[in-house]
Amino acid sequence: MLIVPVLLSGGIGSRLWPLSRAATPKQLRSVLGRHTMVQATALRVAEMDGVTDPIVVCGASHGDPIRTQLGEIGVTPATVICEPVGRNTAAAVLLAALAAPDDAMLLVLPADHVVTDVAGFRDAVALAANPVSAGALVTFGVVPTGPETGFGYIRASDVEAVVRPVEAFVEKPDLATAESYVASGRYLWNSGMFAFRADAVRAEIERLAPEVYAAVSASVEGGLDGEEVRPGPAFLECPSISFDHAVMEHTDRAVVIPLDVGWSDVGSWATLWEIDDKDGDGNVVRGDAVLIGSTNSYVRTDGRLVALIGLDDVVVVDTGDAVLVAARDRVQDVKAVVERLAGRPELD
Amino acid sequence: MLIVPVLLSGGIGSRLWPLSRAATPKQLRSVLGRHTMVQATALRVAEMDGVTDPIVVCGASHGDPIRTQLGEIGVTPATVICEPVGRNTAAAVLLAALAAPDDAMLLVLPADHVVTDVAGFRDAVALAANPVSAGALVTFGVVPTGPETGFGYIRASDVEAVVRPVEAFVEKPDLATAESYVASGRYLWNSGMFAFRADAVRAEIERLAPEVYAAVSASVEGGLDGEEVRPGPAFLECPSISFDHAVMEHTDRAVVIPLDVGWSDVGSWATLWEIDDKDGDGNVVRGDAVLIGSTNSYVRTDGRLVALIGLDDVVVVDTGDAVLVAARDRVQDVKAVVERLAGRPELD
């Protein structure tokens, strides 16, 4: 069975402002290593047996930069599908499924996640082949490293199996609930990564989300050939709904494969501080900086000098045209900054 | 009696890094209003009766920018004396005294201080005419607004008089001592502003600091005419000593005139936060900034956006090529940053 990677690159990553912008979202940026996130995602699967060129689903203006970035690492997308507007992941998954052969295994990967154990990731993907062949919709569930309240959770019914039937998808919990989830050993984080046959997922979307199916199908009735596809106006009629809400929470074909591979969705600057390398004072420093009497902080600068004096637990990000200075436990409010910048397209 | 303003512009103001640099120190910058500090200092006295064009004493590379800045406000210096190296204020005062007519009243003003009550300042200067005519060396003593430990103090013997005999100059005190000074009502801050006849101060420097007198006199034996004077190599032999240490602490001609005119030496970013206008959250914002959940902070940016989230009592200064982020009570450590940048002349 051929594996077709599907790189979902539709988000704008406003929680990583000012690095991530509408024009250049975080998946087009490097946050940890030298590769951009979309490059790292493509490389994560590029050398696996049976893997074809990827299908990319992205925003209207990101086709060219993504093709350029993938070209730099020797990857040529089979198709780049440029959505005229974002309509969430159900639509994006269906676009990819319509572009793929019936019997291909789609491996759906958000292009803005980090995985540090690539070999472990590939092992988990290999485990998906059997259930996918049997028609299952596979979701990858991250083994929790703590009681995160920012993720949805997946409850599995057989915690010993490598491929586990899904009992339920549950919404983001409060802290006490998250702690009970982690203690139980039955819950995994909902990562947004999936595997299924193209024909199987098409059929489930048609059955469970017919409005999504109708709008997306109509938007590409001219075909999905060529290096770049632009869905037509019918796409705007598609409801904006996540693939989890539209399909995974309702299908009886859901199974989950645990992932314990150093995964992160890099959801905030605090997350990035957590996963990056620190010096003896707990500081992450990327770029030209002088730190005096400062601890447990994240400093990132593109070229210009940053001096940090006498502060603990802060985030400083300098991108040349803007500077973020935030308490590390308040970085979720970066979204409020982006909202205030809505009238200033060069900065949002 | 003609009043000759002497603008001392020799410092580099490293405590206001990154705004203040060796190449463009704080006196060449605007810190509060639209004028640079040297412009504001010149304007403070320019319209007083009997005031001539000023004498400027500055660093070797600052003659041109100072002449340009003063030209912008319609002031033409009588002479700009460019010291080949800094040798502290005794040498600088003597250079000016040698350039001035015997019977002129020199009004010595550091070019990097702020005075908000200009009328009050002029009144105090007018009070100096009588004692100066009588041969006194006048120092202006700032009425303390709090128990500052960063200044030297002047003890006066007659706290009712408008011109008071000086009993003693005392070094920077500890906090308890400073509190007792302020409570006593007998102490004033040593501001570094003076008034005296040119011939009187020359004679006292020759008597009390003969090495300074010999070296400085020799360095300008070619004369002090022309719009720009550059002392010769003999200047390097001059001891580096302040005018207070060399003369004021030893002369029996010292008197002090109290000043209560919104004076500040703008000695640090914390001082600038104290004296500048604040919004309802106690923040000073100069430039393009978004503040969320932040209080009692100082944000200054030259053009680029700064976002400050969830932090109190911090200083953020963005000058386009460098960014300072500091706890407000740790801004004295800015000097340590400048020291670490010693090998990087574009930034120190």
Side-chain angles (χ1 to χ4, degrees):
Chain A
M1 187 168 45
L2 285 179
I3 300 176
V4 180
V6 176
L7 309 185
L8 298 186
S9 181
I12 63 163
S14 62
R15 288 179 297 176
L16 288 192
W17 182 91
L19 183 73
S20 187
R21 305 283 176 92
T24 310
K26 67 175 175 174
Q27 58 268 29
L28 300 183
R29 297 281 195 172
S30 161
V31 302
L32 274 182
R34 66 191 170 87
H35 290 113
T36 68
M37 299 192 84
V38 72
Q39 288 176 327
T41 307
L43 289 170
R44 202 174 297 146
V45 294
E47 292 165 15
M48 291 179 69
D49 289 342
V51 167
T52 69
D53 292 333
I55 295 172
V56 176
V57 186
C58 65
S61 61
H62 297 151
D64 286 342
I66 288 176
R67 228 186 326 264
T68 301
Q69 290 193 358
L70 293 181
E72 289 168 1
I73 56 167
V75 171
T76 306
T79 308
V80 175
I81 306 173
C82 296
E83 299 175 320
V85 293
R87 281 292 183 258
N88 215 325
T89 49
V93 168
L94 180 56
L95 282 169
L98 290 169
D102 286 354
D103 61 353
M105 168 173 140
L106 301 185
L107 177 62
V108 177
L109 303 173
D112 57 356
H113 292 180
V114 161
V115 165
T116 58
D117 175 9
V118 172
F121 173 79
R122 291 175 178 178
D123 290 345
V125 169
L127 290 174
N130 277 340
V132 166
S133 295
L137 306 191
V138 174
T139 181
F140 295 92
V142 175
V143 178
T145 55
E148 272 288 335
T149 57
F151 300 136
Y153 284 67
I154 301 168
R155 187 170 74 240
S157 64
D158 178 354
V159 300
E160 300 300 322
V162 292
V163 180
R164 306 174 185 175
V166 170
E167 277 191 3
F169 288 82
V170 296
E171 299 287 330
K172 297 174 184 176
D174 61 25
L175 183 60
T177 308
E179 286 171 343
S180 72
Y181 287 173
V182 174
S184 76
R186 294 179 63 195
Y187 288 80
L188 301 162
W189 291 339
N190 189 358
S191 72
M193 294 186 277
F194 307 99
F196 26 64
R197 274 177 61 116
D199 51 7
V201 75
R202 273 185 239 139
E204 282 298 82
I205 295 174
E206 185 170 18
R207 184 172 74 87
L208 296 168
E211 290 183 12
V212 172
Y213 193 88
V216 173
S217 301
S219 78
V220 294
E221 62 188 359
L224 280 151
D225 296 325
E227 68 174 21
E228 184 164 297
V229 172
R230 294 188 171 269
F235 192 79
L236 280 68
E237 307 303 318
C238 182
S240 181
I241 184 170
S242 74
F243 183 70
D244 278 308
H245 281 315
V247 176
M248 294 305 288
E249 296 177 7
H250 306 292
T251 183
D252 52 7
R253 298 181 173 198
V255 298
V256 60
I257 294 176
L259 269 186
D260 190 3
V261 296
W263 173 88
S264 170
D265 74 339
V266 196
S268 74
W269 290 112
T271 310
L272 209 43
W273 173 79
E274 283 166 13
I275 65 178
D276 208 341
D277 296 331
K278 297 171 192 68
D279 65 20
D281 294 320
N283 296 310
V284 174
V285 178
R286 289 192 168 257
D288 187 11
V290 174
L291 276 68
I292 294 177
S294 298
T295 65
N296 299 318
S297 293
Y298 183 92
V299 179
R300 179 189 185 105
T301 170
D302 291 355
R304 297 174 321 136
L305 176 74
V306 170
L308 183 67
I309 300 177
L311 288 167
D312 305 314
D313 304 303
V314 300
V315 168
V316 181
V317 179
D318 181 335
T319 56
D321 58 351
V323 184
L324 168 70
V325 180
R328 193 156 52 73
D329 61 0
R330 290 287 300 277
V331 289
Q332 73 279 10
D333 289 345
V334 169
K335 280 196 155 187
V337 174
V338 176
E339 284 159 17
R340 287 213 209 167
L341 296 176
R344 302 172 62 179
E346 78 288 4
L347 285 170
D348 73 2
Chain B
M1 185 169 48
L2 285 179
I3 300 176
V4 180
V6 176
L7 309 185
L8 298 186
S9 180
I12 62 164
S14 62
R15 288 178 298 175
L16 288 192
W17 182 92
L19 183 73
S20 187
R21 306 285 176 88
T24 311
K26 67 175 175 176
Q27 58 270 29
L28 300 184
R29 297 281 196 173
S30 160
V31 301
L32 274 182
R34 66 192 169 88
H35 290 114
T36 68
M37 299 191 83
V38 73
Q39 287 176 328
T41 307
L43 287 171
R44 201 174 298 148
V45 294
E47 291 164 17
M48 292 179 68
D49 288 341
V51 168
T52 70
D53 293 333
I55 295 172
V56 176
V57 185
C58 63
S61 62
H62 297 152
D64 287 341
I66 287 175
R67 225 184 330 262
T68 300
Q69 290 193 357
L70 293 181
E72 290 167 1
I73 56 166
V75 171
T76 305
T79 309
V80 176
I81 306 173
C82 296
E83 299 174 321
V85 294
R87 281 292 183 259
N88 214 325
T89 48
V93 167
L94 181 54
L95 282 169
L98 291 168
D102 285 352
D103 60 353
M105 168 173 141
L106 301 185
L107 176 61
V108 176
L109 304 173
D112 56 356
H113 291 180
V114 162
V115 166
T116 58
D117 175 10
V118 172
F121 173 80
R122 291 175 178 178
D123 289 344
V125 169
L127 290 175
N130 277 339
V132 165
S133 294
L137 307 192
V138 173
T139 181
F140 295 92
V142 175
V143 178
T145 55
E148 272 289 333
T149 58
F151 301 135
Y153 284 68
I154 300 168
R155 187 171 72 241
S157 63
D158 179 352
V159 299
E160 301 300 322
V162 292
V163 179
R164 307 174 185 177
V166 170
E167 277 191 5
F169 288 82
V170 296
E171 299 287 329
K172 298 174 185 177
D174 60 24
L175 183 60
T177 307
E179 286 170 343
S180 73
Y181 287 174
V182 174
S184 77
R186 296 180 61 195
Y187 289 81
L188 301 162
W189 291 339
N190 190 356
S191 72
M193 293 185 279
F194 307 98
F196 26 63
R197 273 176 64 115
D199 52 6
V201 74
R202 274 185 238 138
E204 282 299 82
I205 294 174
E206 185 170 20
R207 184 172 73 87
L208 297 168
E211 291 182 13
V212 170
Y213 193 89
V216 172
S217 302
S219 77
V220 292
E221 62 188 359
L224 279 151
D225 297 324
E227 70 174 20
E228 184 164 299
V229 172
R230 294 188 170 270
F235 192 79
L236 280 67
E237 308 304 317
C238 181
S240 181
I241 183 169
S242 73
F243 182 71
D244 278 308
H245 281 315
V247 176
M248 293 305 288
E249 295 176 9
H250 306 291
T251 184
D252 52 7
R253 300 181 173 197
V255 298
V256 61
I257 294 176
L259 269 185
D260 190 3
V261 296
W263 173 90
S264 171
D265 74 340
V266 197
S268 73
W269 290 112
T271 308
L272 209 41
W273 173 80
E274 283 166 15
I275 65 178
D276 209 341
D277 296 330
K278 297 171 192 67
D279 65 20
D281 294 319
N283 297 309
V284 174
V285 178
R286 289 194 168 255
D288 187 11
V290 174
L291 277 68
I292 294 177
S294 298
T295 65
N296 299 318
S297 293
Y298 183 93
V299 178
R300 182 190 183 103
T301 171
D302 290 355
R304 296 176 323 138
L305 176 74
V306 170
L308 182 67
I309 300 176
L311 288 168
D312 305 313
D313 304 302
V314 300
V315 168
V316 180
V317 179
D318 181 334
T319 55
D321 59 350
V323 184
L324 167 69
V325 180
R328 195 156 52 75
D329 60 0
R330 291 286 300 278
V331 290
Q332 74 279 10
D333 289 345
V334 170
K335 280 196 153 184
V337 173
V338 177
E339 284 161 16
R340 288 212 209 166
L341 296 176
R344 303 172 61 178
E346 79 285 7
L347 285 169
D348 74 2

